[in-house]
Amino acid sequence: MLELRDVRVVFDGFHALDGVDLTVPEGELRFLIGPNGAGKTTLIDVITGLTRPAAGTVTFDGHDLVGRKEHRIVRLGVGRTFQTSVVFEELSVVENLDLAACFRRPLWSLARRRKGVSQAVEEALTRTGLEELADRSAGVLSHGQRQWLELGMLLAQRPRLLLLDEPVAGMSREERERTGELLTQIAADHTVIVVEHDMEFLRRHASKVTVLHEGKVLVEGSVEQVSADPRVQEVYLGRKPSDAVGK
Amino acid sequence: MRIPHAILSGVLVISVAACSGTQSGTAPSEAAGGSEIKVGLLHSLSGTMAISEVTVRDAELLAIEEINKAGGVLGKKLVPVVEDGASDWPTFAEKATKLIRQDKVATVFGGWTSASRKAMLPVFERYKALLWYPVQYEGLESSPYIFYTGATTNQQIIPGLDYLKEQGKKKIFLVGSDYVFPRTANKIIKAYAAANGMEILGEEYTPLGHTEYSTLVNKVTQAKPEAVFNTLNGDSNVAFFKQLKSAGATAESMPVLSVSIAEEEVKGIGVDNIAGQPVAWNYYQTTDNPANTAFVKAFKDTYGQDKVTSDPMEAGYNAVYLWAEAAKKAGTVEVEAVKKAAGGIALERPEGLVTIDGETQHMYKTARIGIVQPDGLIKQVWDSGKPIKPDPYLKGYPWASGLAQG
Amino acid sequence: MIRKHLPFATIAVLALVAAPLLLEPFRLSLLAKYLCYAIVALGIGLAWGQGGMLTLGQGVFFGLGGYSMAMYLKLAEGGGLPDFMVWSGVEELPALWTPFANPVFALGMAVLGPVAIAVVLGTLVFRQRVRGAYFAILTQALAAAMVILLVGQQGLTGGTNGMTNFFDLFGADLAADSTQRGLYLVVAGVLGVLYLATRQLVNSRFGRLLVAVRDGEDRVRFLGYNPATVKTVTFAASAGMAGLAGALFVPVVGIISPALLGVVPSLELVVAVAVGGRHALAGAVLGAVLMGYAKTAFSEQFADGWLYLQGALFILVMTLAPKGIAGILGRWRSARAT
Amino acid sequence: MEALVNQLPIGLSIGAVLLLVALGLTFTFGQMGVINMAHGEFIMAGAYTAFLLQDLLLALPAAFLVAGLMGLILERAAIRHFYGRPLDTLLLTWGVSLVLQQLARDLFGAPNVQVAAPPWLTGAIGILPYNRLFILALAVAGVVAVWAYLGHTRQGRRTQAVVQNRQLAATSGIDTGRVDMLTFFIGSGLAGVAGVALTLIGPVGPALGTYYIVDAFLVVVAGGLGQLRGAVLAAAGLGLLNSYAEFWSDASLAKVIVFAAVIAFLQVRPQGMFVLRSRALT
């Protein structure tokens, strides 16, 4: 479904991605890990059109994504979240979700007031457990709630491929657990790529992992395979992989 | 967003109350009955034109004060109502309406730029009120409700050209700010040149407030004219003369005749940059006659010894006296009567004899060419000998027949 | 329902009935002028307050509307060429002018001309993600360039003088008090309708989207919208309002000139919106009327002070009450409510 | 032909004027993200300093100090409360510019005042008068000074650090408030220097700043906000364009052409000539 071939990105002489190949079949939950500066976020940026690769191809469902504008890629069914979640603080939770759900409608049809809550929004609210906060402004949400709202917005978009950039960073243990449940639910009927540092989270939820290092794919496989790989241990400064990756 | 209507109702209540408040504050004018006559002074006291117009207002206030000291008009004191046109033409129209309708002034003295006059003209014609306009202008106008106390084109531009012709200057370059006066003036100049065997080497306009003249100076010096006719306005003159001088041009090799630079402007340009250059007006501070000696003295005593007097100031000063004279002759300040009485009035003014031409409501004025002196004053070197009859449509000049079909 | 609409109804009655009855004609036409500015302010409130696009060139659109109307009025007089063309040496009516003899065309152009320019400029700059300060500066330069262009084409536009001296509008004598009263009612009515329409837009999904674009343009892209389109549409709407305001302004005030659409008047309106409160549409309207009134009143008393007052007021509002009068009133209200 | 060749140095000298008026602006924007509409009035303050002193060489440092201090006061009193809100700063400083203009009118009178050019600036090399060459030299000196300051002094490097990451710089012991103050002082001071230079070629009056501010902004926009290299190239480019456009058409049209060129240029390079890359989503 998603296929990257020999993708290269250069920032001022620095090779952020140096010939990455990646294939993610439909329905898979894929984790991307690697030390800081390995190129994880850059990879997501390339897929979603935020960064244009110097070379290589990115195809999603037969569509070439390179050079396509961000919103057009979203319209193909690729959605993403950001490390530092960005929600619209002046809008209420339900308005945030509603905007996310409406992008396929023609612009002129938006010139009317929202009446009620659409099914997609309803669903996103239930899944993220934000029903109670639906009419509160997004500005008052806690950090974890914001992350969920962002996930909810992503769900409301009804994408086919979801890219999550560190969804549990900065969350408390309970919040992480809830996010994990949410992730499992989502992964049941979506293709998902998750960038994550949290090793415990990784162990619990990952089926397949890709390790990036210095802009290249170092190794790919199941969690056990990857954490046993000596190259991965070396990359994480020779420490025990669990400590190092867990950070 | 929760309270917009409340706010909106607030605003309307306030503005309605405020407006009607101002309205009740102005009692019907005493112009008709009381012991005072209100007259309006409408010049830019703020904005870019304030530089020039404030001095004219000062001269007009001086005239009002002098007339009041001498007993007023028809036994009544003149009370000036001063308004600010703010260098903004619609404001001139608005304030003119206010002076006429609310303050009910007997007459208005005001304006400087052509644009401000054009903006006020419909107001004065609509309400049949009187405006005295004190600045040289581009002609082609003769409103029944305006008296023009500055020069029209045949009292300034054409004498300036006559002077250049007498000096043997046959190749002329035209430089002006991009607005009505320079464009009209240059049209006249081109027609004059065609009829008098002069050659126009170039015609350039720059936006108002333009200060970068190196390209234009290059164009002028490359064309090698014998003289430049300059209709630049305001601050542009400063930049133009500074940059012309540093390019090595001198008043001897290439005189620049200016029609918008008077004593007041010379200081800002820098005497060094303009000394020796000719200008064309009807009046200079140095004009030699007793009325002027008195005027210059009174002005300096009132406003400071470092002040200078200039042509538009003198024309504004005259305007008040000429109106007062017309009102005396008419025996009333009523507009139609004053208009009727004005024709033929002749007064000895600082610039010499000024006579109102009843037909065009312009003045007979003597044209004078002067040279800027190292002390910043202007010395007359040429005059037309006698006052020239105003001819705003240049009907008396066969070569100008194509210009004034309006 | 009734409660909700009561304040608006009060204003409507005040504006449409009380003002024409209470005010003398001169003051009424001044109020009409402020209301024209209020229409422009409404557009600025939409573009800037809601959409975050600080447009410093709104005078350009106002001017285009004004010039379209003025061209119609000049041609409607009959009697050959417009006066300024005669003294500019233009001998026959330029082709550009001919269609403006038709009032429908002139009014259409007054609105669609600004919309078209806003669409072109918006598409060009927003597509390239030019925003914030860049956009502000570009619109300001647009105003500067527009003035130079208008002034330079004296034969077509009347140069610095602009156009003035209009006599009648659809057969009614423009000088007559009754015409001016009628014009006032039209202006007030248009403002009311536009205000309601803009409010509707702001409260719609599009309005939410606009706020989202203002607060996180890049994020909106990942919601599948093209912010450039949203911004262009909004900018065009505000330009259209300014154009309509300009077209109304001309018969009310009787003049249009480049001085009305330059950098300073454009900025003054933004100031008015800031003073009134940029985030509330009513605040923008309030600001425009108040500042218009203050300018008139102040310059009648002491002219020199106006610049000080305007500058100082502005500094104070920006530092102490960035949400303007609407913000202060809002705070006061919520304080009372609790 | 000769005229055509002459336009080249003329264009560069116009560019030098543009650069000089835009230099301080590009400095404050680049380092602090502040759009200062009162920049024109700081230029005016510099010009009036030259008027009071009537000595060009003395006026240069004096104007730097006067305008710099005005900037410093503005920064401390108001702008520092507005960081991260460039549009609000823009409007705030516009208010300040109005007040300063009127203040100048009240202090020095509405008419233009005269600043005598020193006799040693009389003369010319080819088409370029000495005073134009002086401005050119001053612009070059200004650029070199800014470049040296940023790259080769402790304080300059601190400034750079604050630009790149304010929080990080603050936590590593840099007093960011002090850096801001100093940056604004220098940026405004440069405006003062420009004001002194402008007395050689233009009017000195309360409206002085308004004549240059729009052009200065265009240079900053075309150069890429805050980029020294970009500002230099943009000033030279716009100067040359202006010079030739005016030569072939007229001054009014040249201004319109310059504006159109900047818009067109932004289509090719939307963020100006040079941009700092950033991975952050703004």
Side-chain angles (χ1 to χ4, degrees), chain B residues 90-107:
Chain B
T91 305
F92 271 95
E94 176 193 318
K95 299 297 183 189
T97 314
K98 184 212 166 231
L99 286 171
I100 297 164
R101 299 206 71 183
Q102 192 171 309
D103 299 322
K104 305 200 165 48
V105 296
T107 185

CSV table of all heavy atoms in Angstrom, one decimal, chain B residues 90-107:
chain,number,residue,atom,x,y,z
B,90,PRO,N,-11.2,65.3,0.5
B,90,PRO,CA,-12.6,65.1,1.0
B,90,PRO,C,-12.8,65.9,2.3
B,90,PRO,O,-13.9,66.4,2.5
B,90,PRO,CB,-12.7,63.6,1.2
B,90,PRO,CG,-11.7,63.0,0.3
B,90,PRO,CD,-10.6,64.0,0.3
B,91,THR,N,-11.8,66.0,3.1
B,91,THR,CA,-11.9,66.7,4.4
B,91,THR,C,-12.2,68.2,4.0
B,91,THR,O,-13.0,68.8,4.7
B,91,THR,CB,-10.6,66.6,5.2
B,91,THR,OG1,-10.4,65.2,5.4
B,91,THR,CG2,-10.8,67.3,6.5
B,92,PHE,N,-11.5,68.7,3.0
B,92,PHE,CA,-11.8,70.1,2.6
B,92,PHE,C,-13.3,70.3,2.3
B,92,PHE,O,-13.9,71.2,2.7
B,92,PHE,CB,-11.0,70.5,1.4
B,92,PHE,CG,-9.6,71.1,1.8
B,92,PHE,CD1,-8.5,70.3,1.8
B,92,PHE,CD2,-9.5,72.4,2.1
B,92,PHE,CE1,-7.3,70.8,2.2
B,92,PHE,CE2,-8.2,72.9,2.4
B,92,PHE,CZ,-7.1,72.1,2.5
B,93,ALA,N,-13.8,69.3,1.5
B,93,ALA,CA,-15.2,69.4,1.2
B,93,ALA,C,-16.1,69.3,2.4
B,93,ALA,O,-17.1,70.1,2.6
B,93,ALA,CB,-15.6,68.3,0.2
B,94,GLU,N,-15.8,68.4,3.3
B,94,GLU,CA,-16.5,68.2,4.5
B,94,GLU,C,-16.5,69.5,5.4
B,94,GLU,O,-17.5,70.0,5.9
B,94,GLU,CB,-16.0,67.0,5.3
B,94,GLU,CG,-16.7,66.8,6.6
B,94,GLU,CD,-15.9,65.8,7.5
B,94,GLU,OE1,-15.4,64.8,6.9
B,94,GLU,OE2,-15.7,66.1,8.7
B,95,LYS,N,-15.3,70.1,5.6
B,95,LYS,CA,-15.2,71.2,6.4
B,95,LYS,C,-15.8,72.5,5.8
B,95,LYS,O,-16.4,73.3,6.5
B,95,LYS,CB,-13.7,71.5,6.7
B,95,LYS,CG,-13.0,70.4,7.4
B,95,LYS,CD,-13.6,70.1,8.8
B,95,LYS,CE,-12.8,69.0,9.5
B,95,LYS,NZ,-13.5,68.6,10.8
B,96,ALA,N,-15.7,72.5,4.5
B,96,ALA,CA,-16.4,73.6,3.8
B,96,ALA,C,-17.9,73.6,4.0
B,96,ALA,O,-18.5,74.6,4.4
B,96,ALA,CB,-16.1,73.6,2.3
B,97,THR,N,-18.5,72.4,3.9
B,97,THR,CA,-19.9,72.2,4.2
B,97,THR,C,-20.2,72.6,5.6
B,97,THR,O,-21.2,73.3,5.9
B,97,THR,CB,-20.3,70.7,4.1
B,97,THR,OG1,-19.7,70.2,2.8
B,97,THR,CG2,-21.8,70.6,4.0
B,98,LYS,N,-19.3,72.2,6.6
B,98,LYS,CA,-19.5,72.6,8.0
B,98,LYS,C,-19.5,74.1,8.2
B,98,LYS,O,-20.4,74.7,8.8
B,98,LYS,CB,-18.5,71.9,8.8
B,98,LYS,CG,-18.7,72.2,10.3
B,98,LYS,CD,-17.4,72.3,11.1
B,98,LYS,CE,-17.7,72.9,12.5
B,98,LYS,NZ,-16.9,74.0,12.8
B,99,LEU,N,-18.5,74.8,7.5
B,99,LEU,CA,-18.4,76.2,7.7
B,99,LEU,C,-19.7,76.9,7.2
B,99,LEU,O,-20.2,77.9,7.8
B,99,LEU,CB,-17.2,76.7,7.0
B,99,LEU,CG,-15.8,76.4,7.7
B,99,LEU,CD1,-14.7,76.8,6.8
B,99,LEU,CD2,-15.8,77.2,9.0
B,100,ILE,N,-20.1,76.4,6.0
B,100,ILE,CA,-21.3,77.1,5.4
B,100,ILE,C,-22.6,76.8,6.1
B,100,ILE,O,-23.3,77.7,6.5
B,100,ILE,CB,-21.4,76.6,3.9
B,100,ILE,CG1,-20.2,77.0,3.1
B,100,ILE,CG2,-22.7,77.2,3.3
B,100,ILE,CD1,-20.0,76.3,1.8
B,101,ARG,N,-22.8,75.5,6.3
B,101,ARG,CA,-24.1,75.1,6.9
B,101,ARG,C,-24.2,75.3,8.4
B,101,ARG,O,-25.3,75.6,8.9
B,101,ARG,CB,-24.4,73.7,6.5
B,101,ARG,CG,-24.4,73.5,4.9
B,101,ARG,CD,-25.3,72.3,4.5
B,101,ARG,NE,-26.7,72.6,4.8
B,101,ARG,CZ,-27.7,71.7,4.5
B,101,ARG,NH1,-27.4,70.5,4.1
B,101,ARG,NH2,-28.9,72.0,4.7
B,102,GLN,N,-23.2,74.9,9.1
B,102,GLN,CA,-23.3,74.9,10.5
B,102,GLN,C,-22.9,76.3,11.1
B,102,GLN,O,-23.6,76.9,11.9
B,102,GLN,CB,-22.5,73.8,11.1
B,102,GLN,CG,-22.8,73.6,12.6
B,102,GLN,CD,-22.1,72.3,13.1
B,102,GLN,OE1,-22.3,71.3,12.5
B,102,GLN,NE2,-21.4,72.4,14.2
B,103,ASP,N,-21.7,76.7,10.7
B,103,ASP,CA,-21.2,78.0,11.2
B,103,ASP,C,-21.8,79.2,10.5
B,103,ASP,O,-21.7,80.3,11.0
B,103,ASP,CB,-19.7,78.1,11.2
B,103,ASP,CG,-19.0,76.9,12.0
B,103,ASP,OD1,-19.5,76.6,13.0
B,103,ASP,OD2,-18.0,76.4,11.5
B,104,LYS,N,-22.3,79.0,9.4
B,104,LYS,CA,-23.0,80.0,8.6
B,104,LYS,C,-22.1,81.2,8.4
B,104,LYS,O,-22.4,82.4,8.7
B,104,LYS,CB,-24.3,80.4,9.2
B,104,LYS,CG,-25.2,79.2,9.4
B,104,LYS,CD,-26.7,79.6,9.5
B,104,LYS,CE,-27.6,78.5,9.3
B,104,LYS,NZ,-27.4,77.2,10.1
B,105,VAL,N,-20.8,81.0,7.9
B,105,VAL,CA,-19.9,82.0,7.8
B,105,VAL,C,-20.3,82.9,6.5
B,105,VAL,O,-21.0,82.4,5.6
B,105,VAL,CB,-18.5,81.5,7.6
B,105,VAL,CG1,-18.0,80.8,8.8
B,105,VAL,CG2,-18.4,80.6,6.4
B,106,ALA,N,-19.8,84.1,6.5
B,106,ALA,CA,-20.1,85.0,5.4
B,106,ALA,C,-19.3,84.7,4.2
B,106,ALA,O,-19.8,84.8,3.1
B,106,ALA,CB,-19.8,86.5,5.8
B,107,THR,N,-18.1,84.3,4.4
B,107,THR,CA,-17.3,83.8,3.3
B,107,THR,C,-16.2,82.9,3.8
B,107,THR,O,-16.0,82.9,5.0
B,107,THR,CB,-16.6,85.0,2.5
B,107,THR,OG1,-15.9,84.6,1.4
B,107,THR,CG2,-15.7,85.8,3.4
